Amino acid sequence: MNNDVKKIAVLTSGGDAPGMNAAIRATTRAALHSGMEVFGVMKGFQGLIDDDLIPLKSQNVSGIIQRGGTFLQSARSSDFKSVEGRKIAYQNLKKRDISALVVIGGDGSFTGATTFAVEFPDISIIGIPATIDNDIYGTDYTIGYDTALNTVIEAVDNIRDTASSFNRIFLVEVMGREAGFIAVNSGIASGAEVIMVPERKNQIDKLRKFLDRRAQKNKSSIVIVAEGLEEGSAMEIANIISPDYPNFDIKVSVLGYIQRGGRPTAKDRVIASLMGIAAIEAINDGQKSLMVGWRNEEIVHVPLSKTFKLEKSISDDMLNAVEIIGTFLPKN
Ligand code: F6P
């Protein structure tokens, strides 16, 4: 037990994710339970630089677990990328005797947090993985992913109604930055015919092959397109292939930011809560720079620096599942 830490701060950074509020709530209450004082930092690392901190008591985090977004708000701070910016952030923590910081965010946030931890080793930095993309190394799960996945599936189910009523081909673009976790899992769960992911090559060839076969049947189809494809966006891909398939009614639907918002699912709320508690336990144990992750249904500790230097990949089994049950294309 490290009794040195009497005051901690918590912030959310990068893209908001449903369940961040549950993580703030659990972090705050676990810290208060340990006898610590808690400060919430507004607008991520930018708020640290701008000295925008608010004291958090138990009642400040009540009534937020069911809300998407983050009540502390978020930002992608360019000031925090400079040594001067980080120094000001450090001074603002020090003047309040805050010696631990819980960072709820994705790999970009953990990159900044690690630099900060190296420069100012007297501050304990604990990361809680939160991004709808689920693309952080060292954890099976990131907060927000389950909610986003369910939002996508609901939207695709709706789109399929129109697709089948008109025999249309829909290219549905989903988020995920350079990772295809949302695409693959929503594609499997919504019964998509084709899923185009950045993890695999020749995705337009795959789509063409599928459309060539479809040409004989004139059936509706759902094609899930991950946003990070090197071949381009769903709209660009539609423009490339449409001239070659004049008889097909090809439509594009970009799901966009509806994927990031909404009431967090039970899974997001529960895992976020466990991670918040684990973050405070890690601080109490004297840990300095790590992420509390979720692996094989339990909390794990991962060095913060590993979380963005190593890449989390989608298993071949998942990628193959799409080929087997989606397109019915013969293996080549
Ligand atoms: O990191 C989550 C994410 O939703 C990505 O999937 C997406 O590319 C990105 O954020 C866009 O976020 P913003 O517009 O806030 O930069």
Side-chain angles (χ1 to χ4, degrees):
M1 179 92 173
N2 173 10
N3 292 318
D4 293 349
V5 179
K6 302 266 187 293
K7 296 184 184 182
I8 69 147
V10 55
L11 60 80
T12 47
S13 167
D16 56 291
M20 277 183 160
N21 281 326
I24 298 167
R25 173 179 180 269
T27 301
T28 302
R29 292 202 171 161
L32 294 170
H33 187 76
S34 289
M36 298 168 179
E37 236 180 278
V38 187
F39 291 85
V41 184
M42 299 304 295
K43 299 192 177 72
F45 292 113
Q46 192 58 45
L48 266 192
I49 296 168
D50 298 341
D51 205 18
D52 196 358
L53 280 73
I54 53 168
L56 291 181
K57 304 278 182 240
S58 192
Q59 64 270 23
N60 298 117
V61 293
S62 75
I64 62 169
I65 196 167
Q66 77 283 8
R67 281 168 34 199
T70 159
F71 94 105
L72 290 178
Q73 300 193 290
S74 192
R76 301 191 200 274
S77 170
S78 52
D79 292 345
F80 197 72
K81 290 193 175 132
S82 73
V83 187
E84 296 74 36
R86 292 192 295 273
K87 208 164 175 188
I88 296 170
Y90 174 73
Q91 285 158 355
N92 285 334
L93 289 172
K94 284 310 268 188
K95 76 177 184 197
R96 291 184 177 81
D97 286 329
I98 295 170
S99 48
L101 176 66
V102 176
V103 175
I104 303 169
D107 54 354
S109 311
F110 291 172
T111 309
T114 302
T115 308
F116 190 74
V118 171
E119 288 170 346
F120 305 107
D122 54 326
I123 305 282
S124 172
I125 310 276
I126 306 297
I128 295 182
T131 161
I132 63 163
D133 300 342
N134 199 29
D135 60 346
I136 299 182
Y137 177 85
T139 183
D140 294 341
Y141 196 75
T142 62
I143 296 167
Y145 175 58
D146 189 58
T147 307
L149 207 49
N150 281 292
T151 303
V152 171
I153 292 163
E154 199 179 330
V156 176
D157 287 350
N158 289 351
I159 291 169
R160 198 181 273 285
D161 288 345
T162 297
S164 56
S165 300
F166 283 87
N167 276 343
R168 284 178 179 165
I169 311 273
F170 265 92
L171 304 192
V172 183
E173 185 178 293
V174 301
M175 279 184 166
R177 230 177 256 273
E178 286 96 37
F181 290 95
I182 294 179
V184 168
N185 286 273
S186 66
I188 291 173
S190 63
E193 278 72 21
V194 181
I195 305 178
M196 303 172 74
V197 286
E199 286 82 359
R200 286 264 160 112
K201 300 241 167 284
N202 305 326
Q203 297 291 276
I204 291 192
D205 291 351
K206 179 165 90 170
L207 179 58
R208 283 186 192 284
K209 221 188 238 180
F210 169 74
L211 292 176
D212 291 342
R213 285 169 63 89
R214 270 284 132 134
Q216 299 130 31
K217 295 185 190 144
N218 187 26
K219 282 238 186 99
S220 69
S221 301
I222 296 288
V223 178
I224 299 283
V225 183
E227 68 173 343
L229 288 186
E230 63 179 31
E231 287 91 339
S233 66
M235 190 55 86
E236 285 162 342
I237 291 169
N239 288 337
I240 293 169
I241 58 162
S242 290
D244 300 331
Y245 298 94
N247 300 330
F248 282 6
D249 199 2
I250 299 176
K251 299 283 182 193
V252 173
S253 194
V254 180
L255 297 190
Y257 289 91
I258 63 160
Q259 296 164 92
R260 277 230 305 240
R263 286 175 64 230
T265 59
K267 182 170 177 173
D268 272 325
R269 298 181 200 194
V270 171
I271 296 181
S273 299
L274 297 181
M275 285 178 173
I277 295 167
I280 298 305
E281 279 171 0
I283 291 169
N284 276 328
D285 285 347
Q287 299 291 344
K288 283 292 184 191
S289 172
L290 63 78
M291 174 187 79
V292 290
W294 185 252
R295 278 197 128 159
N296 302 322
E297 301 302 307
E298 58 182 31
I299 292 286
V300 288
H301 287 178
V302 185
L304 203 53
S305 59
K306 273 196 177 175
T307 60
F308 54 91
K309 284 190 192 136
L310 298 174
E311 204 165 302
K312 176 173 168 186
S313 49
I314 300 180
S315 74
D316 281 346
D317 284 349
M318 288 301 277
L319 291 169
N320 288 338
V322 178
E323 312 288 332
I324 295 166
I325 59 177
T327 63
F328 298 105
L329 288 175
K331 218 168 180 253
N332 51 19

